Amino acid sequence: AHSNFAIEQTKREFEYTMASSKHVTPPSMIKLEPDQYGQRHPFENEEVIAQGLALMEEEIAKLSEEKKDGVFQAEKNCPELSKSNEHKLMFLRSEMFNADLAAKRYAKYWNMRIEIFGDKAFEQMTLDKALRDDGAALSNGFARLLPSKEKAGRSIIWVDPSRLDETKYTRESMVRFGF
């Protein structure tokens, strides 16, 4: 457990950082105790989520046209996904609500998704849509979701490279599977 002095000092450090940058996790979201992997996870509420999404939009707008080309294509071809707050929230969470990093990850995601999936990039990631040609790669048992979860409740994926057999599917198909 942290002493009150350490907690107050940490809050002051984050408040100072927040005053000088919009791109860090707000103090109200700090969880001082790291999890079993040493990660500190933010506390979320509606206000924090709304602020994070607004900041992320500002950061996306600042990206170069080249870097956000995939975002433009996604907004045109699948706006119901690309413009949804739920979708963008995944990127904010993965970057601990750092709007700058989340915007960059979001743009890279769409550019990579288009590169990997081509015309299918804007379809739903389901077996009957974007992954319809990848059944062999998906069913080879290379990666499996285990029925149990780890202490913090996160899913565990088991990867077994011995199950790879490139005679049954293409390398590109495996890349799409991993996406």
Side-chain angles (χ1 to χ4, degrees):
H2 291 281
S3 69
N4 284 340
F5 174 77
I7 292 170
E8 289 305 313
Q9 182 177 356
T10 301
K11 285 182 180 177
R12 281 193 302 276
E13 289 171 6
F14 276 99
E15 287 167 0
Y16 172 78
T17 305
M18 279 300 292
S20 62
S21 171
K22 290 183 176 180
H23 312 302
V24 298
T25 305
S28 61
M29 297 172 56
I30 301 303
K31 177 182 175 188
L32 294 175
E33 294 296 323
D35 67 11
Q36 67 210 42
Y37 303 109
Q39 297 176 335
R40 298 176 190 273
H41 298 278
F43 293 112
E44 294 180 23
N45 61 37
E46 288 181 25
E47 180 183 354
V48 168
I49 290 171
Q51 288 174 348
L53 289 167
L55 285 173
M56 184 176 162
E57 289 297 331
E58 288 177 22
E59 295 304 318
I60 291 169
K62 292 178 186 177
L63 296 173
S64 71
E65 298 298 313
E66 179 183 350
K67 287 185 179 177
K68 60 184 173 185
D69 181 57
V71 173
F72 288 141
Q73 290 184 54
E75 288 176 350
K76 178 184 172 193
N77 294 299
C78 61
E80 65 287 342
L81 173 62
S82 65
K83 291 183 176 185
S84 78
N85 287 343
E86 293 80 20
H87 183 64
K88 291 177 181 175
L89 193 53
M90 291 188 315
F91 298 90
L92 275 170
R93 285 178 174 143
S94 71
E95 296 295 350
M96 304 293 288
F97 277 72
N98 180 317
D100 178 48
L101 294 177
K104 289 174 182 171
R105 181 181 290 264
Y106 179 72
K108 285 179 187 176
Y109 167 84
W110 279 108
N111 289 331
M112 186 63 67
R113 183 167 163 160
I114 293 166
E115 182 180 332
I116 291 172
F117 286 90
D119 293 339
K120 296 188 279 185
F122 308 111
E123 296 178 14
Q124 292 178 339
M125 290 294 144
T126 61
L127 294 174
D128 61 333
K129 303 279 185 187
L131 300 170
R132 65 185 167 270
D133 300 325
D134 301 316
L138 292 166
S139 63
N140 71 3
F142 168 70
R144 297 181 206 157
L145 181 63
L146 297 181
S148 59
K149 298 186 184 249
E150 50 91 76
K151 287 182 188 177
R154 292 177 279 219
S155 297
I156 302 170
I157 297 176
W158 173 260
V159 177
D160 182 1
S162 71
R163 307 284 296 197
L164 293 175
D165 182 355
E166 291 187 23
T167 64
K168 295 181 180 178
Y169 43 81
T170 65
R171 177 170 290 187
E172 291 79 11
S173 187
M174 279 304 291
V175 169
R176 287 190 294 271
F177 161 71
F179 193 80

